[in-house]
Amino acid sequence: MSTNRAFDSWKYRLVVCIFVFVSLLSIEVKAATKKYQFNVEVTNVSRLCHAKPIVTVNGMFPGPTVYAREGDRVLINVTNLAQYNMSIHWHGLKQYANGWADGPAYITQCPIRPGNNYVYDFTITGQRGTLWWHAHILWLRATVYGAIVILPKQATLFPFPRPDGEQVIVFGEWWHADVEEVEKQGNALGLPPNMSDAHTINGKPGPLFPCSEKHTFAMEVEQGKKYLLRIVNAALNDELFFAIAGHNMTVVEIDAVYTKPFTTNAILIAPGQTTNVIVSANQAPGRYFMAVRPFQDVPIPVDNKTATAILQYKNVPTTIIPTLPHLPLPNDTAFALSYNKKLLSLNTPSFPANVPLKVDRHLFFTIGLGKSVCPTCINGTRLSASLNNITFVMPQVALLQAHYFDVKGVFRADFPDNPPKAFNYTGAPLTANLFTAKGTRLSRIAFNSTVELVIQDTNLLSVESHPFHLHGFNFFVVGTGIGNFDPAKDPTKYNLVDPPERNTIGVPTGGWAAIRFRADNPGVWFFHCHLELHTGWGLKTAFLVEDGSGKDQAVRPPPKDLPQC
C-alpha cells in the first residue's frame, strides 16, 4: 500500500511539473509589449561637403528600426522637440479599427505640436515582414523615417530557407537646402520644387559623390552564406532600380507579404514599397557595389545620379576598388513591366491569397495633373493634381475625429465612383481645360463589402507612373495594363488565383492598375500618390469605411492623449 502511495505521489509531482513546464512554455510564446521612445529633434548632419540641421528621430538618420513580433503590442511615445508640427505613419500596418494610431496629419489625427507628445498604441495582427515608418506631414519624411521589422510568431518558420544573416537597406533622398524651404519655394512659384541633390542608401550617398568616403554604407558578408536584405524605398519622389554587382537576388516578399520566389539581377521599387530579397555570397571574395538610381520613362526631370553602398566580403582589404553593377537604363519600361509581372502571392495553405471573387462596389479613379488659380504664382497659376477631376483640400480638423464625433462641415462623403466625363485617357496630351474642382470629399464604403478600384493614368499634361498607397488595408493587384482600361475585355485577363498582395501599387505610365480588397476595417483611411510632390498638389482622397454591426466592428474610442487641432 505504501509503495502505491509513493508511486501515486511521484506521478502527481510529475504531472504538476509537466503542467508548470507547459504553462511556462505558453507564457514564453505569448505576445509581448514592445516600448519605444521617439524624440523628434533637430540634429546637425553633413553630406556632400554640406552641413545642415535636419529633423531626426533620436538624432539618427535614418531613424531607429522598430523590431516586433507578429501578435505583439507596440507602444511608441513620440515627443516633439522640433519646431514643426509632427505626425508619424506606420506604413503598411493595418491598425484594425484603430485609425488613431495610423498617423497621417489631419486624416486620422491632429499633428503633435512642438513640446507635446503622443503615444502610438497598436497591436500587430496577422502581419509579418518588412514595413516602415515615416513622418506624414509636410515634406518632413525626407529625413524622418525608418524600418519596421516584424518577425514571425515564435516557432514559425520562413517559407524559404533561413538566411545566415540579414540587413535593413533603406533608400532615401538628400537636399543641400532645407527641404521645407524647398517645398515652400516651389509652392510660392507654382512650380515643382527643386529635385534632390543625391539619393542615399541607409542615409549615405556613397563614394561616387564628393566628401563621401566616410558617408558610404558597407555590409560585410562571408563567402558561402546567404543574407536577407530588407529593402525600403523611403525616397520622396523617385521609383528606383537596385542591383548588386556580380550577384543575383531572389525576391521572397513585398510589402510584408510572402511571394513566389524568383531570381533577378535587379529590382524595381516605388516610393512606399518594401521588398525582401535573398542574396548568396557566392562570388570570389572582393568588394561589390550595391547601386540605386531612378526609373523614369517620361521626359520629366529627376535626380538621376547613382547612389552606392558596398557588399564587402570578410577579410578583403578595403583598398580594393569595388565593381559597379549593370543597372537597367533609367527609361527601361520593358524591364519594369516584366519585373512587376513576376510578383505573385505565395498562396499556400499557411499563407493563402484570399482574393475577393465577387465585387460589391466598382470604382474607377482617373489620375490627372492640372492647374489651380494662384495670383501670386508665375503666370497666375500653380500645378495641381486630382482624382476624378477633384483636387483634395486638406481639412483643419482630422477627418477621423470629425467622423467619430459627428462634426459637421469638415468633409462630404460623396466622392464620385467615376470621373465626370469619359475621354481618351492616354491619347494625345491634353493641355486645355486643366482646372479642377476642389473639395474635401471622401468615398463612403459599406463595412465588409468587396471593392474593385481601377486606377487610370491620363495624359492630362503628361502621363507618368504613380505609386498609390492605401492606408488600413492590403489589396490584391488583379490586373495592370498599358493604355485605356477596357471594362469589357480587361477583367477577363485578371489574375484571381495568386495576384500580388501589397499596400502600395505603381500605376504604370500611361496605363492602369486594378486592385481588390475587402473593406473590413472601419474608419477613415487615406488613399494617395506616394510621390510627395503629387500628394501636396492634391492627388489624394480617403475612404470612409462604415462601422459593422458585430462585436469589435466599430472604430474604437480615441485615446485620451490624442492631439487636438
Side-chain angles (χ1 to χ4, degrees):
M1 182 70 72
S2 60
T3 303
N4 288 342
R5 280 203 199 96
F7 179 78
D8 288 342
S9 175
W10 175 85
K11 188 164 65 173
Y12 174 78
R13 288 197 298 271
L14 178 63
V15 169
V16 169
C17 287
I18 291 172
F19 175 79
V20 170
F21 175 76
V22 171
S23 298
L24 289 172
L25 193 63
S26 66
I27 289 171
E28 186 180 37
V29 299
K30 274 185 179 177
T33 298
K34 302 290 176 63
K35 296 182 179 181
Y36 286 86
Q37 175 62 44
F38 274 26
N39 290 329
V40 178
E41 57 194 15
V42 174
T43 305
N44 285 318
V45 173
S46 176
R47 295 289 186 274
L48 279 64
C49 314
H50 292 260
K52 68 170 186 175
I54 64 171
V55 182
T56 66
V57 168
N58 298 347
M60 300 169 64
F61 173 62
T65 297
V66 173
Y67 287 92
R69 196 173 287 280
E70 181 184 350
D72 284 353
R73 181 185 180 190
V74 181
L75 300 170
I76 303 178
N77 181 32
V78 177
T79 301
N80 187 5
L81 305 175
Q83 70 270 38
Y84 301 103
N85 286 342
M86 177 56 61
S87 72
I88 293 182
H89 171 49
W90 315 96
H91 186 114
L93 287 173
K94 295 179 184 176
Q95 309 285 15
Y96 185 80
N98 185 32
W100 312 112
D102 190 42
Y106 299 107
I107 305 297
T108 58
Q109 67 166 91
C110 299
I112 307 166
R113 296 177 181 175
N116 292 351
N117 75 295
Y118 177 48
V119 177
Y120 290 93
D121 182 351
F122 52 86
T123 298
I124 300 171
T125 305
Q127 293 182 273
R128 82 293 303 163
T130 305
L131 296 171
W132 66 300
W133 58 265
H134 60 85
H136 213 303
I137 185 169
L138 306 173
W139 277 29
L140 290 171
R141 77 173 180 87
T143 56
V144 180
Y145 61 83
I148 301 173
V149 173
I150 308 168
L151 301 173
K153 290 180 178 179
Q154 292 277 11
T156 301
L157 300 176
F158 292 123
F160 48 82
R162 187 176 185 86
D164 298 296
E166 63 176 62
Q167 177 66 55
V168 170
I169 303 283
V170 186
F171 306 142
E173 293 183 78
W174 177 264
W175 278 261
H176 290 321
D178 183 303
V179 178
E180 292 309 308
E181 291 303 317
V182 170
E183 182 196 15
K184 287 178 185 176
Q185 182 184 39
N187 288 338
L189 296 174
L191 299 172
N194 291 338
M195 68 186 74
S196 59
D197 296 291
H199 291 96
T200 59
I201 300 176
N202 286 353
K204 300 175 180 180
L208 303 185
F209 289 87
C211 305
S212 294
E213 291 80 6
K214 66 178 181 179
H215 297 308
T216 300
F217 173 75
M219 174 185 171
E220 185 178 85
V221 298
E222 292 186 46
Q223 191 178 37
K225 292 190 175 182
K226 295 185 177 182
Y227 297 86
L228 179 68
L229 304 188
R230 300 177 178 271
I231 302 170
V232 178
N233 185 355
L236 265 68
N237 295 310
D238 293 330
E239 291 188 77
L240 297 168
F241 289 123
F242 172 72
I244 305 173
H247 295 73
N248 287 331
M249 297 172 281
T250 300
V251 176
V252 294
E253 178 196 302
I254 54 172
D255 291 2
V257 180
Y258 296 131
T259 63
K260 287 183 171 65
F262 69 93
T263 300
T264 181
N265 59 3
I267 69 167
L268 174 65
I269 184 167
Q273 293 181 339
T274 65
T275 303
N276 281 9
V277 301
I278 301 267
V279 176
S280 295
N282 56 9
Q283 299 300 302
R287 304 176 79 223
Y288 299 85
F289 271 132
M290 301 185 279
V292 63
R293 76 175 173 206
F295 163 60
Q296 180 60 274
D297 55 356
V298 290
I300 294 175
V302 293
D303 170 12
N304 61 5
K305 295 180 285 294
T306 300
T308 54
I310 298 173
L311 191 76
Q312 166 87 38
Y313 277 69
K314 191 173 182 179
N315 297 325
V316 170
T318 57
T319 53
I320 293 177
I321 298 174
T323 54
L324 276 167
H326 296 288
L327 284 162
L329 294 174
N331 62 348
D332 195 341
T333 304
F335 178 92
L337 295 175
S338 172
Y339 174 83
N340 284 323
K341 284 187 180 299
K342 296 175 185 175
L343 299 172
L344 299 169
S345 290
L346 195 57
N347 194 22
T348 62
S350 298
F351 304 102
N354 296 316
V355 187
L357 301 180
K358 173 180 167 290
V359 175
D360 299 317
R361 182 86 172 269
H362 288 270
L363 305 174
F364 185 78
F365 290 1
T366 53
I367 302 166
L369 300 180
K371 296 179 180 179
S372 299
V373 174
C374 176
T376 61
C377 296
I378 295 175
N379 299 324
T381 62
R382 68 157 47 102
L383 290 168
S384 63
S386 66
L387 287 170
N388 284 355
N389 204 49
I390 298 170
T391 297
F392 190 83
V393 176
M394 291 296 286
Q396 298 302 306
V397 175
L399 296 175
L400 182 59
Q401 289 172 271
H403 166 58
Y404 187 85
F405 292 108
D406 197 24
V407 179
K408 306 297 183 185
V410 177
F411 65 85
R412 289 161 50 188
D414 63 349
F415 190 90
D417 289 1
N418 296 282
K421 183 180 179 181
F423 59 97
N424 183 5
Y425 305 115
T426 56
L430 301 172
T431 56
N433 301 319
L434 293 176
F435 291 95
T436 62
K438 291 183 170 58
T440 310
R441 298 171 67 179
L442 280 55
S443 178
R444 184 184 293 274
I445 306 291
F447 179 81
N448 210 38
S449 61
T450 53
V451 179
E452 178 178 304
L453 167 59
V454 176
I455 315 162
Q456 173 73 61
D457 189 27
T458 72
N459 217 343
L460 291 165
L461 282 186
S462 173
V463 292
E464 188 175 351
S465 177
H466 297 270
F468 267 85
H469 173 48
L470 176 59
H471 292 226
F473 298 92
N474 279 358
F475 49 74
F476 292 96
V477 186
V478 296
T480 60
I482 300 301
N484 297 340
F485 175 74
D486 186 333
K489 295 180 180 179
D490 287 325
T492 65
K493 306 170 191 173
Y494 283 173
N495 177 2
L496 301 178
V497 177
D498 58 357
E501 180 183 351
R502 47 191 338 160
N503 61 61
T504 304
I505 173 63
V507 179
T509 301
W512 55 271
I515 66 173
R516 287 187 181 183
F517 64 97
R518 181 174 293 278
D520 57 359
N521 193 359
V524 176
W525 303 106
F526 207 19
F527 178 67
H528 61 97
C529 180
H530 220 277
L531 302 179
E532 208 65 31
L533 183 64
H534 293 169
T535 301
W537 288 352
L539 193 52
K540 52 196 172 186
T541 184
F543 291 105
L544 194 167
V545 178
E546 298 172 338
D547 289 347
S549 57
K551 183 183 178 184
D552 299 326
Q553 292 182 349
V555 177
R556 299 177 196 171
K560 293 180 180 179
D561 64 338
L562 185 71
Q564 299 300 308
C565 291

